């Protein structure tokens, strides 16, 4: 298992397209950081108008924690697309290239192959999340320094003391990693159906976008299905920035995401084991 | 004789399209077995079934005496294959590709073996170049190297000369013959070109629209009982009289003052030549039209 997995990772990281994701994450983080450097104070004073009328805010408000949170808010919806670039390509891309049939003439079971590709895609996702942590959190802390973080919500705000924040970020990144495994499973299933990688990448994004819209619409009909949509639970990482942390809701979201991940993976294995390889 | 590969009653349909119909195949140890058929005849479907890529609707496949489905992973260790096109990872170099597939082969393949195979297929010196810089012929040779690297007993080569130039075709043909003679490999190869099968295979199976048309020794199949024999001569107006009322008369297909066309066994050619010369017929040439392509076309003609 280790050797084929290392070969799969070797293939992933030998392809230039793999690094597009790392480049994009870096670029977006840098752009937001640059914008916050130049006009961050004005942006904050506008956003905190309601607060400053009633409270006297002192200290380094525009700090690395807040900038990282803003970057994560803007980026985490786009990360699934970057994950799908690799996971969606993993089976369909090989079918399109013609290498899948050659791989399957080797003594490796189809179930094992799916699990290797799933694991390799998860490792890629974890590395991307770690990279996101480096450029969004650590670089922001380096550029803007530490301070208490103000988490602004629609009707309230939460003040998190600077010594009480880092663990929240670690938990948030861990949760985001779990959410990304669901995206990996979904992309892999779609990849098993397709003969080229564009289809599964686009389909993954379409599903994520449509379900995210349904998750955010406040209509009675959608309220019924929201708890069952994985997109509703993908944003569970934000819970770590609440006070108190809603552990029960986060655990529930983690369970739903895990259920989706395993279910989609199982479906991929069953389908792929029965598929005629005609590519 | 050991049977390396045997399939019985294979059937496969894609929707309403019957790709393979009740097909049997039997390849013995050391044979170069040709699978011949026009494009779309069902060769690739058959090969994919033999390799477990496509699941037959019915029928059984045995490899080295064992049922394929029950010991698939074990049996695939003894097979090397290329299927249709030599598709490999273009962003890796030749050595990396070979190393990748060698690792997946289930055998412990040493570096020395990889270099030995690279030398065998004539790619030594180019192994560190990215495959995207290879010509089609080089990719085809790399495909054969991938099939060979774990030293399998059986090689399955689907259209191994597809898209190659004449020199490339000759190179691959020589390599296959070398693998058979010097390395004692059992080889199943498919082609839509009869002369290619004729030059490489000892046995062959002709399939058309998924069905078996003919199977046996290549020698026996391509030398059918009757050939078309054209005898050219200087204009000789009495030729009809010469042939008339002789045993040769029944073989006549067409007769002209400067040409006779007969349908007869090729072994009779020296005798009719001698007969006509003795009768003073000014023969300028004899052409036996046992064209393999014509023969193949006749067999597969609807």
């Amino acid at each position: 298992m280790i050797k084929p997995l290392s070969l799969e990772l070797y293939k992933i990281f030998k392809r230039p397209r793999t690094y597009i994701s790392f480049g994009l994450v870096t670029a977006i983080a840098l752009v937001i950081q640059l914008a916050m450097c130049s006009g961050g104070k004005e942006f904050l004073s506008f956003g905190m108008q309601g607060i400053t009328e009633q409270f006297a805010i002192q200290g380094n408000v525009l700090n690395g924690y807040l900038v990282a949170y803003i970057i994560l808010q803007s980026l985490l919806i786009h990360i699934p697309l970057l994950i799908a670039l690799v996971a969606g390509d993993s089976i369909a891309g090989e079918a399109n290239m013609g290498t899948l049939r050659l791989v399957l003439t080797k003594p490796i079971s189809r179930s094992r192959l799916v699990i290797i590709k799933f694991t390799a895609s998860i490792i890629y996702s974890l590395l991307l999340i770690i990279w996101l942590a480096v450029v969004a959190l650590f670089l922001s802390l380096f550029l803007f320094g530490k301070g208490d973080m103000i988490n602004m919500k629609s009707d309230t705000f939460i003040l998190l003391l600077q010594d009480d924040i880092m663990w929240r970020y670690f938990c948030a990144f861990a949760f985001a990693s779990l959410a990304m495994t669901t995206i990996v499973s979904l992309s892999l299933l779609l990849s098993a159906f397709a003969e080229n990688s564009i289809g599964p990448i686009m389909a993954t994004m379409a599903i994520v976008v449509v379900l995210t819209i349904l998750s955010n619409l406040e209509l009675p009909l959608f309220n019924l299905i929201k708890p069952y949509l994985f997109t509703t639970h993908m944003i569970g990482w934000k819970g770590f920035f609440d006070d108190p942390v809603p552990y029960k809701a986060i655990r529930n979201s983690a369970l739903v995401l895990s259920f989706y991940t395993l279910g989609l993976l199982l479906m991929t294995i069953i389908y792929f084991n029965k598929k005629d390889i005609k590519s | 004789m050991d049977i390396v590969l045997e399939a019985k009653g294979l059937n496969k349909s894609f929707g309403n399209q019957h790709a393979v119909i009740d097909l049997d195949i039997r390849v013995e140890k050391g044979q170069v077995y040709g699978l011949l058929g026009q494009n779309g005849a069902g060769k690739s479907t058959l090969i994919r079934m033999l390799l477990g890529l496509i699941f037959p609707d019915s029928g059984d496949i045995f490899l080295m005496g064992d049922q394929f489905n029950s010991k698939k992973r074990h049996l695939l260790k003894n097979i090397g294959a290329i299927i249709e096109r030599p598709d490999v990872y273009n962003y890796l170099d030749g050595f990396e590709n070979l190393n990748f597939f060698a690792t997946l082969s289930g055998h412990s393949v040493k570096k020395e073996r990889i270099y030995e195979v690279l030398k065998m297929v004539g790619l030594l010196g180019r192994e560190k170049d990215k495959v995207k810089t290879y010509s089609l012929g080089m990719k085809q040779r790399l495909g054969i190297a991938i099939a060979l690297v774990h030293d399998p007993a059986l090689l399955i080569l689907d259209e191994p000369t597809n898209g190659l130039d004449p020199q490339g075709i000759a190179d691959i043909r020589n390599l296959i013959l070398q693998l058979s003679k010097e390395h004692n490999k059992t080889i199943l190869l498919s082609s839509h070109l009869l002369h290619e099968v004729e030059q490489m295979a000892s046995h062959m199976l002709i399939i058309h629209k998924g069905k078996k048309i003919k199977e046996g020794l290549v020698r026996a199949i391509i030398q059918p009982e009757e050939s078309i024999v054209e005898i050219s001569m200087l204009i000789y107006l009495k030729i009809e009289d010469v042939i008339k009322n002789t045993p040769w008369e029944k073989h006549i297909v067409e007769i002209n003052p400067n040409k006779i066309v007969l349908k007869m066994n090729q072994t009779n050619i020296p005798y009719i030549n001698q007969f006509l010369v003795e009768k003073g017929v000014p023969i300028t040439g004899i052409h036996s039209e046992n064209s393999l392509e014509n023969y193949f076309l006749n067999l597969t003609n609807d």
Side-chain angles (χ1 to χ4, degrees), chain B residues 244-282:
Chain B
K244 209 171 176 184
N245 298 323
T246 70
W248 303 112
E249 189 181 10
K250 65 179 178 194
H251 296 286
I252 292 172
V253 175
E254 187 187 331
I255 193 158
N256 294 309
N258 66 339
K259 189 171 82 177
I260 327 168
V261 181
L262 304 109
K263 197 173 182 182
M264 60 196 283
N265 193 308
Q266 280 190 321
T267 55
N268 282 328
I269 292 174
Y271 302 111
I272 189 157
N273 182 36
Q274 188 182 0
F275 170 78
L276 292 172
V277 169
E278 282 173 359
K279 293 287 178 187
V281 179

Side-chain angles (χ1 to χ4, degrees), chain B residues 277-294:
Chain B
V277 169
E278 282 173 359
K279 293 287 178 187
V281 179
I283 293 173
T284 57
I286 298 177
H287 173 63
S288 164
E289 193 157 296
N290 180 18
S291 155
L292 300 181
E293 266 66 31
N294 283 346

Side-chain angles (χ1 to χ4, degrees), chain A residues 24-44:
Chain A
L24 275 175
V25 165
T26 311
I28 294 171
L30 287 175
V31 165
I32 295 174
Q33 283 159 347
L34 189 71
M36 294 308 276
C37 264
S38 61
K41 282 189 178 145
E42 292 77 12
F43 171 75
L44 272 185

Side-chain angles (χ1 to χ4, degrees), chain A residues 7 10-11 14-15 94 97-99 101-107 110 112 273 275-279, chain B residues 12 14 48 52-55 73 76-77 81 83 85 87-89 91 96 100 103-105 150:
Chain A
L7 288 172
Y10 184 75
K11 281 192 301 177
K14 263 277 183 171
R15 301 188 82 174
E94 292 232 28
M97 229 189 312
T99 47
R101 60 175 188 265
L102 196 51
V103 169
L104 290 177
T105 63
K106 301 296 169 195
R110 293 190 183 195
R112 203 163 165 228
N273 268 293
K275 187 182 182 182
D276 282 335
I277 306 298
K278 293 183 269 183
S279 60
Chain B
K12 181 68 186 177
F14 299 109
R48 281 167 191 252
L53 295 173
I54 284 179
F55 301 102
R73 281 180 62 192
L76 282 173
K77 287 183 182 177
I83 308 139
R85 297 176 308 276
D87 292 320
V88 288
Y89 300 104
Y91 52 90
E96 287 171 327
F100 175 81
T103 309
L104 288 185
S105 72
H150 56 293

